[in-house]
Amino acid sequence: MKNRKFLLLAVLLGLGMVLAACGGGGNASSGSDGDSSGSGNDSSDFSAAMVTDVGGVDDKSFNQSAWEGLQAWGEEHGFSKGKGYDYAQSNSKSDYLPNLTRLIKKDYDLVFGIGYKLHDAIKQVAEQYPDKHFAIVDDVVDAPNVASITFKEHEGSFLVGVAAAKKTKSNKVGFVGGVDGALINKFESGFIAGVKSVNPDIEVEVQYAESFAAADKGKLIATQMYNSGIDVIYHASGATGNGVFAQAKDIKKNNPEKDIWVIGVDRDQYEEGQIGEHNVTLTSMVKRVDVAVQDLANQTMNGEFPGGENVVYGLEDGGVSAARTNKEALTEDIVKAIEKWKEKIVSGEVKVPSTREETDKFVKNL
């Protein structure tokens, strides 16, 4: 496992691109007829593509962030969709393997699998095509031709937990997860640890929708939580979180004076919270999937493909962070608290838990 610093972060962020996600995926287009060796390719001959998880490139969350990163990489090198980069849309688990195989046969030099659910499919195609290069986001595939990209989501989640604890008036906050498993448990664990570090007496309710693409289920869970007195919900549920935002905005629309908040995930979801002159997005746990995708595509194009490595992005190198777009909601004392805890985490003074077992021990020792 290798923890790589975000060496290219400043360069990539300096591009200042604002990319709109393209819809209607399906079959991916051919990017090039170029060499798939991945070493020293001329940029004009290099191509990269990605296979989405369910939810699509317009899910306003994880897949969209990855697609924006691939678009930014393409724009950086003068490519266009279908001519240098592209994506294949997965609507169900059964689409993963056919989509990956289709892109391989289109001669893409680097193919990303977006999300841990593509683990088995990436592993299978990597074994079948040992001369091709693959990358998986949010999981680790142990193969020499696969680069794994993971994040310290628990660190960023701790910071938004601090924000939630400082903002709640009811001392009741909620967490809505997509699918209950090791990855989303990291979000849950960090969030609870952050909340409890500020005030151990705050109640944290946790519910899982068991889907990353069920906005209706997200809305139902949010309705139940808000009705129970919870006033801040952190979602880590992909497109399911659109339902959480929808319910918060419905409440705000009917009662503008009511303090009701959502904490977004993966991208800065400030825009998702806009309702008239109000905004229900307190902050977002920003996970720079976009920068990681762009970074890895550039490394591979330059002959530096980190095959067999786990490239880890965390709080220290800007891989995760707490968004501060809603300056009205994030008061000075909240921002100061976030900064204080960030320094403690980066310095190693605080080790943020990433599992439920670790969280239980962490909270007991507060």
Side-chain angles (χ1 to χ4, degrees):
M1 305 267 285
K2 184 174 180 180
N3 191 339
R4 176 168 298 182
K5 296 291 185 183
F6 238 20
L7 298 178
L8 298 181
L9 181 59
V11 175
L12 298 180
L13 293 179
L15 295 173
M17 293 182 175
V18 179
L19 297 168
C22 298
N27 293 350
S29 304
S30 174
S32 75
D33 299 322
D35 172 26
S36 61
S37 66
S39 57
N41 288 342
D42 182 85
S43 63
S44 63
D45 295 326
F46 187 84
S47 58
M50 58 174 260
V51 174
T52 75
D53 196 354
V54 296
V57 294
D58 55 355
D59 65 355
K60 307 184 189 305
S61 187
F62 186 77
N63 289 297
Q64 183 168 333
S65 181
W67 177 233
E68 287 173 351
L70 193 60
Q71 285 179 295
W73 172 80
E75 293 290 338
E76 178 185 358
H77 297 288
F79 301 144
S80 60
K81 183 178 180 295
K83 296 182 179 180
Y85 69 94
D86 211 336
Y87 74 93
Q89 172 68 48
S90 299
N91 297 312
S92 68
K93 182 179 179 180
S94 62
D95 292 331
Y96 299 156
L97 191 58
N99 280 339
L100 287 166
T101 302
R102 184 181 304 115
L103 292 174
I104 293 166
K105 292 182 177 180
K106 293 285 187 179
D107 277 336
Y108 280 91
D109 298 291
L110 173 64
V111 178
F112 291 87
I114 308 303
Y116 71 91
K117 287 188 173 183
L118 279 83
H119 177 279
D120 292 346
I122 287 284
K123 184 175 178 61
Q124 183 173 335
V125 295
E127 291 174 351
Q128 292 176 342
Y129 300 92
D131 295 330
K132 294 289 186 177
H133 293 95
F134 303 92
I136 186 166
V137 179
D138 270 357
D139 208 347
V140 177
V141 172
D142 187 13
N145 59 334
V146 179
S148 301
I149 298 172
T150 60
F151 296 81
K152 296 179 181 179
E153 295 93 349
H154 49 302
E155 293 183 347
S157 296
F158 186 103
L159 297 186
V160 299
V162 169
K166 298 287 287 184
K167 196 68 178 178
T168 181
K169 293 181 178 179
S170 64
N171 278 352
K172 296 177 66 176
V173 302
F175 174 84
V176 177
V179 176
D180 193 349
L183 175 64
I184 306 303
N185 289 169
K186 290 169 69 179
F187 293 82
E188 174 194 330
S189 298
F191 180 66
I192 293 173
V195 170
K196 296 289 188 178
S197 291
V198 174
N199 183 354
D201 294 329
I202 294 176
E203 297 178 27
V204 183
E205 182 179 337
V206 175
Q207 288 196 47
Y208 280 80
E210 292 306 330
S211 172
F212 292 109
D216 56 343
K217 186 69 176 292
K219 195 174 194 300
L220 177 61
I221 293 174
T223 301
Q224 295 168 346
M225 285 188 171
Y226 288 132
N227 286 344
S228 74
I230 287 170
D231 54 1
V232 183
I233 296 176
Y234 173 35
H235 92 88
S237 58
T240 296
N242 295 337
V244 178
F245 276 103
Q247 181 57 22
K249 290 194 287 186
D250 283 350
I251 294 172
K252 195 69 174 179
K253 181 179 180 180
N254 293 324
N255 189 356
E257 302 305 315
K258 188 175 181 62
D259 285 329
I260 208 83
W261 303 102
V262 182
I263 295 175
V265 75
D266 295 332
R267 300 168 70 248
D268 182 351
Q269 294 192 300
Y270 177 79
E271 292 184 359
E272 310 315 314
Q274 196 68 44
I275 173 74
E277 61 182 10
H278 302 286
N279 195 299
V280 298
T281 305
L282 175 61
T283 180
S284 299
M285 201 293 282
V286 179
K287 176 176 167 181
R288 297 312 302 261
V289 178
D290 55 342
V291 176
V293 167
Q294 188 176 1
D295 190 4
L296 187 63
N298 274 323
Q299 288 182 51
T300 307
M301 186 175 68
N302 293 331
E304 299 172 353
F305 176 69
E309 296 181 13
N310 178 20
V311 186
V312 183
Y313 299 95
L315 192 60
E316 182 179 5
D317 47 38
V320 296
S321 63
R324 301 183 184 181
T325 313
N326 194 340
K327 299 185 184 301
E328 182 177 348
L330 288 178
T331 56
E332 185 178 353
D333 66 314
I334 296 177
V335 172
K336 286 182 177 179
I338 289 173
E339 277 302 308
K340 180 187 76 171
W341 286 102
K342 177 181 176 180
E343 290 173 7
K344 289 183 177 183
I345 295 169
V346 171
S347 69
E349 180 181 346
V350 171
K351 180 175 173 55
V352 180
S354 61
T355 67
R356 288 171 179 159
E357 182 180 5
E358 291 176 356
T359 303
D360 288 342
K361 293 179 180 178
F362 182 93
V363 172
K364 287 179 181 178
N365 290 329
L366 289 174

